[in-house]
């Protein structure tokens, strides 16, 4: 079995408007939480996510986060397949991203 997608992020210029749109479209419960709006999927199927407005480019994007055992090993494999690392691994309180 492959590695699971564990989180997603939607970038936009207007968090309130984007949250209202996706909330109404998919029935998501979206709550403002600091610099991002969290998408609560606790009582639904699916994975959690958030909506953010960076205030600079890129403004419209989607990112999905995939759980792997070793981030650097995965980046090395991606490079061997022709990919390119734009941002090196970053330590965060819950591990590395």
């Amino acid at each position: 079995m492959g590695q699971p997608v564990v989180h997603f992020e939607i970038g936009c210029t207007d968090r309130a408007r984007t949250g209202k749109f996706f909330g109404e479209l998919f029935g998501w419960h979206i709550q403002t939480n600091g610099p991002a709006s969290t998408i609560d999927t606790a009582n639904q199927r699916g994975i959690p996510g958030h909506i953010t407005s960076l205030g600079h480019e890129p403004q419209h994007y989607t990112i999905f986060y995939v759980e792997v055992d070793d981030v650097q090993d995965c980046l090395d494999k991606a490079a061997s397949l022709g990919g390119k690392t734009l941002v090196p691994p970053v330590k965060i309180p819950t591990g590395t991203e």
Side-chain angles (χ1 to χ4, degrees):
M1 178 175 238
Q3 302 298 317
V5 173
V6 294
H7 191 81
F8 68 95
E9 177 179 338
I10 299 170
C12 62
T13 56
D14 185 333
R15 276 192 305 145
R17 192 170 121 214
T18 302
K20 183 177 187 306
F21 173 81
F22 283 109
E24 290 180 9
L25 179 63
F26 296 126
W28 290 348
H29 175 71
I30 300 172
Q31 185 172 8
T32 301
N33 186 11
S37 297
T38 58
I39 300 168
D40 180 11
T41 59
N43 295 324
Q44 302 172 25
R45 296 178 319 186
I47 59 173
H50 70 273
I51 298 170
T52 189
S53 178
L54 299 175
H56 57 74
E57 292 293 334
Q59 294 190 13
H60 301 285
Y61 64 90
T62 305
I63 297 174
F64 60 94
Y65 297 80
V66 177
E67 182 179 326
V68 297
D69 294 327
D70 186 307
V71 173
Q72 189 60 57
D73 282 349
C74 190
L75 291 173
D76 293 344
K77 183 176 181 179
S80 75
L81 296 170
K84 181 178 178 182
T85 298
L86 300 178
V87 178
V90 176
K91 295 282 185 190
I92 59 173
T94 56
T96 302
E97 68 173 19

